[in-house]
Amino acid sequence: MKAKLNPNAETHSTACILCSRNCGITVEVDGDKFNKIKGDPEHPMTAGYICQKAARLDHYQNHDDRLTHPLKKKSDGSFEQITWDQALSEIAEKLLHIKRDFGGDAFAFLGGGGQGNHLGGAYGQQILRAMGSRYRYTALAQEKTMDFWINGRMFGDQRVHCTEDVEHSDYVLFIGCNPFQAHGIPNARDTLKHIKKDPDRTMVVIDPRVSETAKMADFHMQVKPGMDAYLMSAMLATIVRENLHDTEFLSKHCTGFETLEKELQNIPIEDYAKKADVPLDLIQEVARGFAAAERGCVRIDLGLQQSLYSTLTAYLEKMLYLVTGNFGRPGVNNLHTLFLPLLTNTDERSKELKLTAHHKMLPISGMYPPNILPDEIEHSGEDRVRSVWVDSSNPLMTMADSKAYARSFSKLDLLVVVDVAMTETARLADYVLPAASQFEKGEATGFNAEFPENFFHFRHGFLDPVAESLPEPEIYSRLLAKMRLIPDSFPVLEKAAKYGATAGYQPYLMALMLAVKMNKSWAPYGASILYKTLGKTLPKGAESGALILPLALDYANKHFEAVKRSGVQGNKYTLGGNLFNKIISSKSGTIVSKHEFEDLWGFIKNKDGKIHLEIDRALEELESLKDADDLMDGYPFVLMAGERRSYNANQIFRNPEWRKVDKQGVLRIHSEDASKLELAGGDAARVVSKNGQQEVIVDIDDSVRIGMVTLPHGYGYKYKGGEQDGPALNELTLGNHCDPFTKTPYHKYVPVRLEKVAV
Ligand SMILES: Nc1nc2c(c(=O)[nH]1)N[C@H]1C(S)=C(S)[C@@H](COP(=O)(O)OP(=O)(O)OC[C@H]3O[C@@H](n4cnc5c(=O)[nH]c(N)nc54)[C@H](O)[C@@H]3O)O[C@H]1N2
Ligand SMILES: Nc1nc2c(c(=O)[nH]1)N[C@H]1C(S)=C(S)[C@@H](COP(=O)(O)OP(=O)(O)OC[C@H]3O[C@@H](n4cnc5c(=O)[nH]c(N)nc54)[C@H](O)[C@@H]3O)O[C@H]1N2
Ligand code: SF4
Ligand SMILES: [Mo]
């Protein structure tokens, strides 16, 4: 018999945590080292698919910036190791003081989950309740709140959200997204290849760069950066004027089309085509093709969301599929369920909503935009933000205007960072708390947005937390106890939890409800109570899954038939508990619901059951396009500050060695522009914006439009506090260079000039 190569190796099912797809993977570990990573064929959606980045995940698990102990900043600026008990006792007292002296709104929470971890964040939200603060700042509110706001107006609730069935579509519009590199759609590269190969399916890409996706497309509209609103309204105007819209769909399912139609009739199509710098006949050909398609669908991403007129383009992309009736069928755009409720609904009419102190902003979907946080901290009034809690985010690198972040954070009374790594933000903190990695605890994401079948993947931790690091549920539960908001233990409930699964969780749930009834002040901390009681009965590495029980009960209640169709048995008392058991025991993820297309109409929350197309703010913005200003301020180049490439992945990896190519994070520039500036490939150049400068290495690349340059996202940090790894993009960006309404950044449209650096 041949000897096994790795006698100690074990293989575990989990997921890649580098982008919102969270592909299922199997990891072979030897000790704590990741030997081999493969796509997991058992995953219900990705079925074995992965991209090149997943193979590098050992660089997330094992590196020299991993945090191992709680740290406290000393007066000389260095850190000392302290115990958990000391860290959490001191933080608890400070928080209670801040709350007592200045009120809960002196506290803000930022982060709560990256690409792979939203369960820890759900436990973290309890601290907002503990403080009585409403300030939840998230990365989503620097990219997607325009979409949530439009959804709220259109479908009656900001949690109602659309997805796109690209796999079954015969005419796809990719606008401002590059799925070949950034994914965002199921098994992106396979899906793109299938469309490209099939002569009956059409792929259109709207992008100022000949992106990897554009190279595979049937039509590419190389739009001028930031001018999509002109292009999309010209397409819609063409559809309406040529009577290609779906009148039957519009009258059956929508209200308010007439107002939009009037606006579209008045659009100067030829002028708008020129503004967008796309040939008129190409716009017309695509508009006609899309309107005639059996199954047309639209997929968008940051190319629209982090550029000009983003509230309007969020509206127009929806108009493209609604006006043509490409909604509520296979292969088109659809609504979907969310198992883990990432979003909430903010009712703008609510009298209870307070505005932020400085920018006077309302939240959208319960979230505030990171672009305004430095101003809210530096605000001169008594109602300023004085304490920030950062979890699973590195705002000093990732949010607009790093200088403003560093400056404002230095003025805080208390900054706490919870992370797996010593980040640039952590270095500024008063306390740094080490989290267990996503392979050392139970975790899950809320990015499950499929329809008609939706899935959920609860991943079990398979390694012990490194050194003294702890999973977030443990950190937050201990902190709440230190704040004297919940007890250290719940002996009665612990006992009740032991009978959990056998009796369909009913005795446990009854005991839980009774306990909260008798101790009303515990009610906001249900997550921690579940964790500390039910969590103890779950397998090792799955304790944080306790919070999934109420989610499963709620989901089964809302989608009873669909959950049963997915293969879970039970009646109205037991289905939720059985769904929970299935989720906890399916280590590769599981289908949680199978809907029928008809069900989707029930997801709409408007009282009349219809989709409302008349949205004042969007229509005003459409009107204002006619005399819009240029935002270039005399700078000659538009910098796309944050391109997705083959070896960047947000700020998740810190060791630069993870990159196989593009180690410098080069500046892509068209050869014509380069030759005017006498720049050659490999030269050093300075990129200068209104806010700062960065030295970069030039790469001549004719895929970018003339007048545009691109730099990658996910560089610029300092591994082990050493040399800067490539361009730090947010040294160039400004907080107020953003959408005036949602305050989402214009990262795809940063005005810059270039200077050759003499050697
Ligand atoms: N490799 C890799 N993949 C990732 C990530 C990563 O860091 N690396 N990050 C993940 C995250 S957090 C996100 S949000 C997604 C983002 O995913 P995407 O939005 O798909 O990725 P980007 O490269 O940021 O931008 C998409 C495209 O927008 C184009 N664009 C720029 N300006 C304009 C414009 O004015 N109009 C139009 N129409 N297009 C424009 C760019 O040329 C680019 O091809 O990617 C995820 N996937
Ligand atoms: N200029 C510019 N800026 C951008 C972008 C751009 O294109 N251009 N893209 C933006 C986009 S779309 C996004 S989504 C944001 C992302 O920016 P962030 O929200 O800051 O998220 P990540 O970069 O994913 O960083 C996540 C942090 O989480 C930590 N982490 C990983 N696992 C865990 C865990 O289990 N627990 C805890 N507590 N921490 C963990 C990592 O060490 C890292 O420090 O960046 C934005 N910033
Ligand atoms: S980076 Fe995204 S697409 Fe690539 S393997 Fe990971 S989750 Fe899948
Ligand atoms: Mo993102």
Side-chain angles (χ1 to χ4, degrees):
M1 218 169 75
K2 258 192 180 169
K4 257 177 126 184
L5 267 182
N6 295 303
N8 302 320
E10 287 176 51
T11 302
H12 303 274
S13 293
T14 181
C16 173
I17 56 153
L18 298 175
C19 87
S20 65
R21 293 312 307 166
N22 297 115
C23 298
I25 56 173
T26 57
V27 180
E28 187 191 278
V29 288
D30 194 352
D32 55 5
K33 192 101 197 102
F34 289 9
N35 275 343
K36 197 180 281 168
I37 294 174
K38 288 191 195 159
D40 181 358
E42 303 298 320
H43 189 279
M45 288 288 154
T46 56
Y49 177 90
I50 45 169
C51 78
Q52 76 289 351
K53 295 192 291 301
R56 314 295 286 165
L57 278 167
D58 189 56
H59 287 288
Y60 163 77
Q61 176 62 26
N62 296 302
H63 61 83
D64 291 343
D65 272 346
R66 271 302 296 272
L67 290 167
T68 52
H69 296 81
L71 301 172
K72 179 183 181 179
K73 173 85 47 78
K74 291 196 292 192
S75 50
D76 66 359
S78 66
F79 284 105
E80 62 176 327
Q81 262 183 33
I82 55 172
T83 63
W84 274 105
D85 200 56
Q86 184 189 346
L88 294 175
S89 301
E90 289 183 12
I91 293 170
E93 288 316 312
K94 286 182 194 219
L95 287 175
L96 290 169
H97 273 130
I98 288 169
K99 184 177 176 183
R100 191 193 58 210
D101 295 345
F102 306 107
D105 283 340
F107 175 87
F109 184 98
L110 188 148
Q115 300 295 297
N117 54 322
H118 298 135
L119 210 49
Y123 287 94
Q125 296 310 302
Q126 297 179 110
I127 190 175
L128 279 171
R129 282 174 232 137
M131 291 300 285
S133 163
R134 44 202 171 108
Y135 292 143
R136 178 180 169 222
Y137 285 82
T138 67
L140 273 179
Q142 55 86 58
E143 56 173 312
K144 308 242 175 294
T145 32
M146 72 297 287
D147 182 42
F148 307 152
W149 186 82
I150 293 282
N151 288 338
R153 285 294 181 90
M154 203 172 268
F155 301 111
D157 191 303
Q158 292 173 346
R159 288 166 293 193
V160 181
H161 185 259
C162 296
T163 180
E164 55 285 308
D165 190 6
V166 174
E167 299 105 290
H168 303 107
S169 174
D170 60 19
Y171 204 111
V172 191
L173 301 181
F174 288 119
I175 317 181
C177 59
N178 183 11
F180 187 89
Q181 291 295 23
H183 288 80
I185 58 167
N187 305 2
R189 291 174 185 172
D190 289 354
T191 304
L192 293 173
K193 267 182 224 149
H194 288 145
I195 305 177
K196 181 178 153 67
K197 262 203 229 146
D198 189 338
D200 297 328
R201 301 171 77 188
T202 307
M203 192 197 307
V204 180
V205 170
I206 301 180
D207 195 310
R209 191 181 148 242
V210 190
S211 65
E212 292 72 8
T213 311
K215 284 188 184 130
M216 302 174 82
D218 299 281
F219 300 103
H220 176 210
M221 303 195 193
Q222 200 168 4
V223 64
K224 195 167 170 197
M227 296 297 127
D228 300 82
Y230 292 93
L231 171 59
M232 291 157 84
S233 45
M235 285 167 73
L236 278 162
T238 304
I239 290 168
V240 166
R241 284 195 212 164
E242 298 185 13
N243 270 318
L244 306 174
H245 50 293
D246 188 337
T247 47
E248 196 187 318
F249 176 89
L250 288 165
S251 65
K252 190 166 171 206
H253 295 297
C254 305
T255 66
F257 173 64
E258 300 69 27
T259 320
L260 170 66
E261 189 181 17
K262 234 180 265 158
E263 278 291 327
L264 293 174
Q265 292 290 1
N266 286 326
I267 276 177
I269 299 184
E270 280 182 38
D271 287 358
Y272 278 23
K274 277 195 199 116
K275 269 264 196 197
D277 197 21
V278 175
L280 181 64
D281 51 356
L282 180 57
I283 296 179
Q284 287 168 333
E285 184 174 356
V286 170
R288 288 171 194 145
F290 185 72
E294 288 265 306
R295 297 164 172 224
C297 104
V298 185
R299 162 81 197 171
I300 61 125
D301 214 328
L302 299 185
L304 291 186
Q305 294 175 330
Q306 292 190 337
S307 194
L308 312 187
Y309 317 112
S310 52
T311 311
L312 174 58
T313 54
Y315 174 74
L316 294 176
E317 63 100 7
K318 291 175 179 53
M319 290 309 109
L320 280 166
Y321 52 80
L322 291 170
V323 164
T324 54
N326 281 303
F327 191 77
R329 292 180 284 114
V332 302
N333 290 81
N334 290 299
L335 301 176
H336 63 86
T337 60
L338 267 181
F339 183 83
L340 203 156
L342 276 186
L343 311 176
T344 58
N345 178 50
T346 307
D347 180 356
E348 300 161 87
R349 291 155 305 183
S350 162
K351 297 242 160 36
E352 274 154 39
L353 286 178
K354 280 201 298 183
L355 304 170
T356 63
H358 189 80
H359 279 276
K360 311 285 176 218
M361 274 200 76
L362 287 178
I364 299 175
S365 249
M367 300 170 216
Y368 291 88
N371 273 59
I372 68 166
L373 183 56
D375 288 342
E376 299 293 336
I377 296 168
E378 296 189 303
H379 179 66
S380 55
E382 274 301 290
D383 48 356
R384 68 177 185 272
V385 170
R386 294 163 191 266
S387 166
V388 175
W389 186 288
V390 178
D391 181 333
S392 196
S393 180
N394 187 6
L396 207 75
M397 300 306 303
T398 55
M399 302 312 168
D401 198 346
S402 305
K403 288 190 256 294
Y405 260 93
R407 193 183 59 232
S408 65
F409 274 13
S410 73
K411 296 178 185 166
L412 291 169
D413 295 349
L414 178 67
L415 175 65
V416 180
V417 172
V418 184
D419 203 298
V420 296
M422 182 49 108
T423 65
E424 290 61 30
T425 308
R427 284 191 194 109
L428 300 182
D430 299 300
Y431 294 88
V432 183
L433 303 179
S437 84
Q438 293 177 51
F439 303 110
E440 298 166 346
K441 66 192 172 207
E443 253 304 353
T445 68
F447 292 142
N448 315 111
E450 311 297 329
F451 188 82
E453 286 187 9
N454 210 351
F455 76 106
F456 190 71
H457 188 184
F458 173 66
R459 292 130 38 195
H460 292 229
F462 52 86
L463 296 170
D464 286 330
V466 72
E468 285 185 21
S469 66
L470 291 175
E472 286 82 353
E474 187 63 38
I475 298 175
Y476 290 106
S477 303
R478 287 193 196 180
L479 178 67
L480 292 173
K482 291 279 185 210
M483 291 174 85
R484 301 178 287 279
L485 298 168
I486 54 169
D488 284 319
S489 65
F490 302 83
V492 178
L493 285 176
E494 269 179 54
K495 228 177 251 164
K498 290 202 179 115
Y499 301 100
T502 42
Y505 300 95
Q506 294 301 315
Y508 170 68
L509 289 166
M510 298 277 281
L512 184 65
M513 275 190 306
L514 195 67
V516 174
K517 208 169 167 190
M518 285 165 64
N519 302 279
K520 291 211 168 59
S521 64
W522 294 357
Y525 314 114
S528 277
I529 303 176
L530 283 155
Y531 169 74
K532 288 179 80 84
T533 57
L534 182 64
K536 291 199 169 159
T537 69
L538 297 175
K540 184 171 183 285
E543 298 86 343
S544 57
L547 185 54
I548 292 173
L549 178 64
L551 301 182
L553 294 172
D554 184 54
Y555 196 79
N557 186 30
K558 279 194 190 127
H559 308 289
F560 187 78
E561 291 303 329
V563 170
K564 285 191 78 154
R565 254 183 246 121
S566 77
V568 185
Q569 311 283 320
N571 57 35
K572 69 176 180 180
Y573 302 106
T574 57
L575 189 71
N578 293 345
L579 175 61
F580 171 69
N581 290 341
K582 188 180 176 203
I583 289 171
I584 296 291
S585 62
S586 306
K587 291 193 176 175
S588 296
T590 183
I591 301 285
V592 292
S593 53
K594 284 190 182 184
H595 276 95
E596 303 198 324
F597 276 92
E598 272 307 299
D599 299 339
L600 155 153
W601 304 107
F603 297 174
I604 296 173
K605 293 285 180 248
N606 287 321
K607 284 205 182 79
D608 58 7
K610 296 203 169 181
I611 307 170
H612 295 180
L613 306 189
E614 187 174 342
I615 298 178
D616 45 12
R617 182 178 294 279
L619 291 168
E620 280 158 27
E621 216 179 301
L622 181 60
E623 179 66 31
S624 75
L625 283 183
K626 289 186 179 134
D627 36 41
D629 289 334
D630 172 14
L631 296 184
M632 289 303 288
D633 283 336
Y635 286 85
F637 287 97
V638 174
L639 167 69
M640 176 195 173
E643 187 169 45
R644 271 67 188 166
R645 295 185 183 167
S646 49
Y647 282 94
N648 58 4
N650 289 11
Q651 294 276 341
I652 303 167
F653 287 125
R654 293 192 58 83
N655 183 347
E657 276 174 29
W658 90 272
R659 307 186 206 278
K660 283 199 169 171
V661 298
D662 196 17
K663 290 192 180 277
Q664 297 157 315
V666 292
L667 175 95
R668 289 177 171 158
I669 182 170
H670 194 280
S671 55
E672 269 188 40
D673 286 329
S675 66
K676 275 188 211 143
L677 294 166
E678 294 176 7
L679 286 169
D683 280 356
R686 206 172 291 115
V687 182
V688 185
S689 75
K690 223 180 193 176
N691 195 30
Q693 49 185 351
Q694 286 289 293
E695 205 169 292
V696 297
I697 302 299
V698 167
D699 182 36
I700 313 287
D701 185 336
D702 284 352
S703 73
V704 294
R705 246 186 90 103
I706 293 175
M708 174 198 194
V709 288
T710 74
L711 282 172
H713 172 56
Y715 286 68
Y717 49 78
K718 293 176 179 157
Y719 182 50
K720 297 195 267 183
E723 289 282 294
Q724 180 177 320
D725 170 47
L729 296 191
N730 290 314
E731 288 289 333
L732 300 170
T733 58
L734 273 167
N736 65 7
H737 187 59
C738 65
D739 185 272
F741 174 54
T742 60
K743 308 283 181 195
T744 47
Y746 289 153
H747 285 332
K748 304 289 182 213
Y749 196 90
V750 180
V752 295
R753 69 167 184 271
L754 303 177
E755 293 166 1
K756 189 173 168 142
V757 174
V759 271

